[in-house]
Amino acid sequence: MPLLRKQPFVPMDLPADLKPDEEVFMNPLTKEIFRNYEDYFRRSILCNSLLWSCEYTGRSNLTLAEALKSETDAAEHLDRMPLALQQAICFIIHKGQVSSLTSFVNEVLSFYRERYLPGEEVEISDGSGKGSSCTGVIQDVILDEGAVYHQPSKIEYRCVVVDTGEIIQAAGNQVSRRKHQLTRERVKLLVKCSAKKITTEPALYVVKQEHIERLKLDENYTVPYIGDYGKPNPNSAKRKKDVEGAPGEKKRKKEKKQSIEMTEEAIRLVAEERRKLIEEERNRKKKERQEEKELQRKMQIAEQAFLKEWMRPREDLELTDSKELPVMRPPQTVLDNSLYGDLIQVSEF
């Protein structure tokens, strides 16, 4: 359900004494029932206000309809991720202690980018380099029991070809996922949709109960090479140890740390100065707007006073724009003056 003012929204319960033939108002978005129009109208205004946000993507300043659509689109986008991957990632959250989302996403991408799970639909190449491949579903993962760390290229997969039903065994470098099945955005979206962060010390992500049931993360569920997750490659660890033990490495690290601290201090000072300038500019513009509003208010008052005085009824002698009557000249006609009035009367008729 979308968030209202960054908080979970809980719809109203149905009235306990609601009758089957009672006429009510129903909000189509929240499915709530209201007996009076005022409550229904207030809830409709709230649903159309820009106070909602999407729980999964974090988008804010949305109406309820837009937030619901955003959550639906996110769920459809998440459905394109293989179910086996969703189970494995959520299993790690469920059994482990995940506190940093960014670090966890990076670890998952690094670990599962070249490792595949039973039930995944993958592309299998023949290894000839000619580009010919087929689509198969991984049935089982074959691991070397004596290996301390399973190299992705040395893992083998038993797959079922989709078109023929043939069972083949493919090496790790012959198997690949389709594009965009495992991306940073989808892993983040999966964590936000299926887990919530509890306020503990440290704050940890916990898989929601409905997703534990949906993905069947019970005690019988297992993930291949889960023992390798979080375990560094021994070869890379040895190279890192050799580098750290090199002469002058500690001095370089100390100088680098001091340089980072100085840079952070300079950035902080610049940000503080910029903040002060922005605040001064904001205050100046606010003062200008207030002065402009005050000037407009005074002009409106003066204009209203002038119009009021101008529209006031007055005697003719008090008018200042009166004009003298024009000098009347007698009309020149061929008729006698005594007949002129009759002529005007006939013409008007």
Side-chain angles (χ1 to χ4, degrees), residues 317-333:
L317 297 177
E318 295 179 358
L319 299 176
T320 58
D321 57 347
S322 300
K323 295 182 181 180
E324 296 182 0
L325 292 174
V327 179
M328 304 299 294
R329 293 180 298 173
Q332 301 293 330
T333 63

Side-chain angles (χ1 to χ4, degrees), residues 96-108:
Q97 293 186 345
V98 178
S99 58
S100 173
L101 178 60
T102 304
S103 300
F104 176 70
V105 171
N106 292 335
E107 290 175 4
V108 167

Side-chain angles (χ1 to χ4, degrees), residues 132-190:
S132 57
S133 62
C134 62
T135 303
V137 178
I138 296 178
Q139 190 179 47
D140 193 14
V141 180
I142 303 173
L143 301 174
D144 186 2
E145 295 182 359
V148 178
Y149 182 85
H150 299 99
Q151 297 288 350
S153 59
K154 296 181 180 180
I155 301 173
E156 294 188 348
Y157 302 91
R158 187 178 291 109
C159 307
V160 179
V161 180
V162 174
D163 295 335
T164 63
E166 180 186 359
I167 298 177
I168 60 175
Q169 189 164 320
N173 54 9
Q174 295 179 261
V175 180
S176 63
R177 287 189 185 92
R178 294 176 182 174
K179 287 185 177 180
H180 310 302
Q181 283 190 339
L182 182 64
T183 61
R184 188 178 303 276
E185 290 74 18
R186 283 191 178 171
V187 176
K188 281 186 177 181
L189 186 60
L190 175 63

Side-chain angles (χ1 to χ4, degrees), residues 194-205:
S194 60
K196 60 182 179 180
K197 202 167 188 178
I198 58 176
T199 55
T200 58
E201 188 61 37
L204 301 175
Y205 283 93

Side-chain angles (χ1 to χ4, degrees), residues 111-258:
F111 186 77
Y112 281 111
R113 194 181 300 277
E114 296 180 353
R115 290 175 172 83
Y116 308 93
L117 297 160
E120 273 196 86
E121 189 174 285
V122 294
E123 297 294 327
I124 307 170
S125 64
D126 58 1
S128 61
K130 297 181 179 180
S132 57
S133 62
C134 62
T135 303
V137 178
I138 296 178
Q139 190 179 47
D140 193 14
V141 180
I142 303 173
L143 301 174
D144 186 2
E145 295 182 359
V148 178
Y149 182 85
H150 299 99
Q151 297 288 350
S153 59
K154 296 181 180 180
I155 301 173
E156 294 188 348
Y157 302 91
R158 187 178 291 109
C159 307
V160 179
V161 180
V162 174
D163 295 335
T164 63
E166 180 186 359
I167 298 177
I168 60 175
Q169 189 164 320
N173 54 9
Q174 295 179 261
V175 180
S176 63
R177 287 189 185 92
R178 294 176 182 174
K179 287 185 177 180
H180 310 302
Q181 283 190 339
L182 182 64
T183 61
R184 188 178 303 276
E185 290 74 18
R186 283 191 178 171
V187 176
K188 281 186 177 181
L189 186 60
L190 175 63
V191 176
K192 291 180 179 179
C193 290
S194 60
K196 60 182 179 180
K197 202 167 188 178
I198 58 176
T199 55
T200 58
E201 188 61 37
L204 301 175
Y205 283 93
V206 177
V207 181
K208 300 175 183 177
Q209 183 61 36
E210 58 266 26
H211 290 279
I212 293 177
E213 297 173 358
R214 179 179 70 88
L215 299 173
K216 301 178 181 178
L217 304 179
D218 52 16
E219 297 298 331
N220 297 326
Y221 177 77
T222 57
V223 183
Y225 27 72
I226 192 65
D228 287 345
Y229 179 78
K231 185 186 297 182
N233 189 334
N235 298 328
S236 62
K238 183 176 181 301
R239 288 196 299 270
K240 182 178 180 181
K241 184 176 180 181
D242 294 341
V243 171
E244 288 179 350
E249 181 64 22
K250 292 184 178 180
K251 183 178 179 180
R252 283 194 295 272
K253 282 188 175 181
K254 185 177 180 180
E255 292 176 351
K256 184 178 180 180
K257 183 178 179 181
Q258 292 176 351

Side-chain angles (χ1 to χ4, degrees), residues 289-300:
R289 287 196 299 269
Q290 290 177 350
E291 292 177 353
E292 186 178 356
K293 287 182 179 180
E294 183 66 20
L295 180 61
Q296 289 179 356
R297 188 181 67 83
K298 291 181 179 179
M299 291 178 63
Q300 288 178 356

